[in-house]
Amino acid sequence: MITGTTVRRFVRHALIRTGLEGISLTRAGHLWRAAAGRGIIFTLHHVRPATSTRTYANALLSITPSFLEEAIQACLERDMMPLPLQDLPERLADPRDKRTYFCFTLDDGYRDNAQFATPVFRKYGVPYTIFLTSGFVERTRSIWWETLEAILACNCEIVFDFGSGEKHLPLGSEIRKTFVYDRFMDYLTLTPEDEAVDAIDRLARSVGIDPLALTDQLILPVHDIAQLAEDALCRFGGHSLTHVNLRRVDADRLKHEIEGSLDTVERYAGYRPETFAYPYGYASAVGPREIQAARQAGFKVAVTNLPGVLRSESAQDPTAFRRVSLNGNYQKRRYVGALLSGVPFKLPDTRKA
Ligand SMILES: [Zn+2]
């Protein structure tokens, strides 16, 4: 049986692609300059060569090094200037400054960032910020979406209790895997996150997967972070202690997650971070309380994943900057042009489809 979530996923993809194609083909991006504002902050996760095994679930989190290069070229062709994220508030607040900027940010601290993205950023002299989750760096917290992808890669039958008794879930086909993935997404929404992560960890171990070994395989270790911190183009920022949805935790945990990441990132990188990325970053994971907490903790800049380009007014709220995700499902140069135009963010929000 296919859930409504699965159907919505396909509809959403079709709508986004149609929208991006429409904008790139009509060249609306060139006609509607005002929509582009003062620039853009890109969100990236994995940067690594394409594989044929990543066909569902996390595919949107991976872009190839050549697509990253195309995105940089698209910005440079439009005379946009690369800028370190922490410098953005001053530039946007300066009324004499009419330039447009682009910033690159990479969430979660994947090893592939150093291996595949750093050489591209160096080639073009483009600064970038990597946001670290302390529990991932220290191998004490698993990355549930990666664990889930590893579980779903097996062609076995899994047994899991979503809250109404054990269910046997065969994973024999792509459509079954997508269905099971969506059930887990619903489960994660309804279950306290720590509890859900623990349950997914137990499931992983039951099919022979070690979730923390997977974290170790994927995330930059402290030694590599220290090494990368010497790269003048690279800055590290905080991404909480456990990557929990901050809107779903109490005030004490919120403070601990945000302020704790100041200290841990300082320990790894050798300087106090000035930037923070809210885990998940969408509207149900970051609100006024979280934006204020990041400001009170002393972060100069904090970024959401609410889609949008930069405006001069954005400088008034530097712990609520919007970003644009470079999505692994839409890796075409002309789509970057459409995003840079700002037009997609003026259109009705197709993501709610
Ligand atoms: Zn993240």
Side-chain angles (χ1 to χ4, degrees), residues 254-292:
L254 173 67
K255 195 170 153 65
H256 183 58
E257 292 278 344
I258 293 182
E259 293 183 3
S261 75
L262 274 168
D263 297 333
T264 50
V265 174
E266 182 175 13
R267 189 149 31 87
Y268 313 142
Y271 53 80
R272 206 123 177 103
E274 296 177 284
T275 59
F276 183 83
Y278 304 99
Y280 311 111
Y282 41 68
S284 55
V286 51
R289 184 187 71 144
E290 292 68 39
I291 288 165
Q292 195 188 2

Side-chain angles (χ1 to χ4, degrees), residues 106-111 113 130-143 145 211-226 228 236-243 260-261 263-269:
L106 303 98
D107 289 9
D108 307 330
Y110 290 109
R111 284 182 192 261
N113 295 174
I130 298 178
F131 293 110
L132 301 170
T133 293
S134 315
F136 298 166
V137 174
E138 288 165 25
R139 280 66 174 141
T140 52
R141 179 83 168 192
S142 62
I143 314 164
W145 57 95
L212 291 179
L214 190 59
T215 306
D216 183 42
Q217 195 186 315
L218 291 169
I219 299 292
L220 286 165
V222 175
H223 172 265
D224 292 19
I225 294 169
L228 203 50
F236 287 100
H239 197 34
S240 82
L241 297 179
T242 65
H243 207 287
S261 75
D263 297 333
T264 50
V265 174
E266 182 175 13
R267 189 149 31 87
Y268 313 142

